[in-house]
């Protein structure tokens, strides 16, 4: 049984938490820079999901705007655009909506009682949307399981309010990217981020007692971007899961693993991230993250080989999360990731997948422990890290 996809919720709100105003026109909450950021996020996903009300009201295209991003997907053997997904309890969908335009796979998950109505509206055409009975009432678990069975590893949920609230309240989100616009809407009639604490969703999985994990705070044009990690297991599990997601961004290689890494400081601040081959052909993920950090401290060209992390004292109390155990032997470069980590003084490593003996015999975990580094293995995430490398190691367990 495939695991459920990584669920990334993405939305823009006003400074007082509104997702739109109450007028019939769509309120633009993010500017060109943030729309471009979302385009990049879309390009890294297999499916984009919105609620039927957003299809009716905003009539979104849900396409990748930048043709270079679509071309990059095509070069990886992916469809040019992610699949479009919507949910409906009533089946009240207009086949003329842009959601149903050709160019991407369209999936409509419909509550059982409305299947007949939806079928009548959408028609049986060869190129029509795929209509899926998602239970009565519609089950988000069923939706995610079905998406996984269709090969969707990463789904971007773009709203609206009801859909975002349902994923959050159901504890089904792994990440929330919240873009906050520099103005207020101040209209109680407008939709806002709202958790429906109804019988279906009796508790708030991200209450003050179990907060989300803040992974990024940045400025994108005029909006403030907050990236939160959610899901079970607390920060360790969440950062590692994120590292696994980063591994999906690696340029493909037939002779090296795809790995993601995140370095987190003692206070929970993300110091740097990296993925294999992010900057140069033979890059390992840990090496890229350490290099980024070192380059922030040093003038360009002043970086001594083998001294990637030594410039930043925060590394002496940091944890590095890596989807694959850091390498203890390496054919491509003279310094292994274990040596980089030890040289940087990083005291703790958390990883998901033990390296199969495919390219080297390196015993990274054992070498780290021998050097006094605390090592935590999270085997529960190994299959996700491995799945990204299925072209090298097969898809079996
Ligand atoms: N700022 C942003 O980032 C952003 C992004 C997207 C949308 N928006 C705004 O959000 C507003 C729309 O939000 P909304 O809350 O009204 O609608 P929505 O979340 O887009 O869609 C709600 C609809 O989705 C279907 N649905 C949702 N959960 C379901 C479930 N568990 N089972 C079955 N069907 C389910 C139902 O469709 P049926 O009615 O067909 O049964 C429901 O009416 C618009 O104003 C839009 O502009 C803002």
């Amino acid at each position: 049984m495939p695991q459920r996809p990584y669920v990334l919720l993405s939305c823009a709100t006003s400074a007082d938490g509104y997702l739109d105003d109450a007028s019939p026109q769509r309120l633009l909450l993010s500017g060109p820079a943030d729309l471009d950021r979302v385009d990049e996020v879309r390009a890294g996903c297999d499916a984009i999901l919105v609620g039927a009300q957003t299809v009716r009201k905003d009539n979104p295209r849900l396409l990748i705007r930048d043709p270079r991003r679509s071309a990059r997907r095509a070069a990886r053997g992916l469809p040019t655009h992610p699949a479009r997904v919507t949910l409906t309890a009533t089946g009240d969908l207009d086949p003329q909506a842009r959601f149903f335009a050709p160019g991407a796979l369209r999936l409509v998950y419909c509550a059982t009682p409305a299947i007949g109505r939806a079928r009548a509206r959408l028609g049986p055409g060869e190129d029509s949307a795929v209509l899926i009975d998602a239970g009565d009432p519609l089950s988000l678990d069923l939706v995610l399981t079905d998406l996984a069975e269709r090969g969707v590893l990463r789904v971007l949920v773009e709203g609206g309010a009801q859909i975002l609230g349902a994923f959050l309240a159901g504890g089904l989100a792994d990440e929330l990217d919240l873009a906050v616009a520099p103005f207020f809407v101040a209209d109680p009639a407008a939709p806002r981020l709202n958790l429906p604490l109804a019988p279906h969703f009796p508790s708030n999985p991200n209450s003050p007692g179990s907060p989300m994990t803040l992974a990024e705070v940045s400025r994108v044009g005029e909006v403030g971007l907050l990236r939160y990690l959610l899901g079970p297991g607390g920060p360790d599990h969440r950062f590692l899961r994120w590292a696994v997601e980063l591994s999906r961004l690696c340029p493909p290689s037939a002779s090296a693993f795809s790995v993601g890494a995140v370095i987190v400081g003692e206070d929970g601040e993300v110091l740097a991230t990296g993925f294999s081959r992010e900057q140069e052909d033979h890059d390992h993920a840990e090496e890229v993250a350490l290099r980024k950090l070192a380059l922030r401290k040093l003038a360009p060209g002043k970086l001594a080989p083998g001294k990637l992390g030594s410039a930043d004292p925060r590394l002496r109390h940091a944890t590095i999360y890596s989807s694959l155990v850091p390498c203890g032997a390496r054919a491509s470069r003279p310094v292994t990731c274990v040596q980089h980590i030890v040289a940087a003084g990083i005291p703790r490593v958390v990883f998901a997948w033990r390296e199969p003996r495919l390219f080297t015999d390196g015993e990274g975990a054992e070498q780290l422990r021998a050097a006094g580094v605390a090592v935590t293995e999270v085997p529960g995430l190994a299959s996700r890290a491995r799945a990204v490398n299925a072209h090298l190691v097969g898809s079996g367990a």
Side-chain angles (χ1 to χ4, degrees):
M1 174 66 74
Q3 294 180 348
R4 74 161 173 79
Y6 186 86
V7 176
L8 196 171
L9 308 187
S10 170
C11 65
T13 69
S14 60
D16 48 352
Y18 288 96
L19 291 157
D20 196 359
D21 59 19
S23 75
Q25 284 79 39
R26 180 182 187 177
L27 174 69
L28 274 185
L29 286 144
S30 52
D34 191 51
L35 291 173
D36 188 58
R37 175 192 67 81
V38 173
D39 201 48
E40 177 67 23
V41 176
R42 281 183 176 182
C45 289
D46 302 307
I48 307 171
L49 187 153
V50 294
Q53 182 61 14
T54 294
V55 173
R56 290 188 287 260
K57 183 161 185 284
D58 295 352
N59 198 13
R61 286 192 171 85
L62 305 180
L63 293 170
I64 295 171
R65 292 159 196 240
D66 186 332
R68 287 168 299 183
R69 293 184 175 126
S70 302
R72 217 168 57 210
R73 287 175 58 89
R76 288 175 169 228
L78 297 172
T80 319
H81 298 282
R84 297 174 212 142
V85 182
T86 193
L87 311 184
T88 176
T90 62
D92 184 12
L93 288 162
D94 177 358
Q96 300 308 317
R98 290 168 173 161
F99 177 95
F100 294 105
L105 176 66
R106 289 136 284 153
L107 302 172
V108 176
Y109 291 92
C110 183
T112 309
I115 279 282
R117 176 177 165 79
R119 187 168 292 125
R121 297 220 60 175
L122 299 178
E126 214 169 73
D127 192 30
S128 58
V130 181
L131 184 62
I132 301 140
D133 185 338
D136 184 18
L138 180 147
S139 153
L140 291 184
D141 281 318
L142 190 151
V143 170
L144 291 176
T145 304
D146 187 81
L147 285 171
E149 284 170 0
R150 291 172 192 272
V152 171
L153 297 172
R154 194 172 159 87
V155 59
L156 177 64
V157 178
E158 289 200 19
Q162 193 181 329
I163 290 288
L164 292 167
F167 275 94
L168 285 169
L172 293 169
D174 298 295
E175 183 177 329
L176 170 64
D177 293 356
L178 190 63
V180 182
F183 54 78
F184 298 98
V185 167
D187 181 350
R192 64 184 308 168
L193 209 48
N194 210 347
L195 263 65
L197 298 184
H200 259 33
F201 305 113
S203 64
N204 168 9
N206 300 291
S207 61
S210 54
M212 302 182 287
T213 300
L214 183 62
E216 182 184 341
V217 180
S218 57
R219 178 182 181 137
V220 186
E222 292 304 307
V223 309
L225 175 68
L226 301 169
R227 183 199 300 271
Y228 293 104
L229 305 179
L230 298 80
D236 252 8
H237 201 271
R238 293 169 180 174
F239 281 127
L240 187 58
R241 188 125 197 241
W242 191 32
V244 174
E245 286 308 299
L246 289 172
S247 72
R248 297 189 200 287
L249 303 175
C250 301
S253 166
S255 57
F257 290 114
S258 291
V259 181
V262 180
I263 304 176
V264 180
E266 191 181 20
D267 57 358
E269 181 185 357
V270 174
L271 304 180
T273 64
F275 52 85
S276 314
R277 304 173 289 287
E278 181 177 346
Q279 296 175 331
E280 296 167 24
D281 264 2
H282 297 297
D283 277 344
H284 284 193
E286 302 90 328
E287 194 175 29
V288 174
L290 284 167
R291 186 190 300 137
K292 286 181 189 169
L293 210 47
L295 285 173
R296 272 180 229 153
K297 294 264 166 190
L298 289 173
K302 295 277 183 211
L303 195 57
K307 298 276 182 195
L308 288 185
S310 53
D312 196 320
R314 293 173 298 176
L315 290 172
R316 311 237 176 278
H317 304 280
T319 297
I320 186 160
Y321 297 86
S322 183
S323 62
L324 178 71
V325 67
C327 69
R330 182 172 189 180
S332 60
R333 283 186 185 152
V335 184
T336 66
C337 288
V338 166
Q339 289 168 328
H340 281 311
I341 289 167
V342 172
I346 296 178
R348 185 165 181 258
V349 170
V350 180
F351 75 94
W353 187 32
R354 268 190 185 257
E355 181 170 348
R357 290 185 186 281
L358 189 62
F359 302 125
T360 66
D361 284 341
E363 299 289 346
E366 291 67 24
Q367 291 180 15
L368 286 164
R369 286 195 181 105
V373 177
V375 179
T376 303
E377 182 174 356
V378 183
L381 288 174
S383 62
R384 296 192 89 89
R386 183 195 164 102
V388 182
N389 292 281
H391 61 295
L392 298 174
V393 292
S395 52

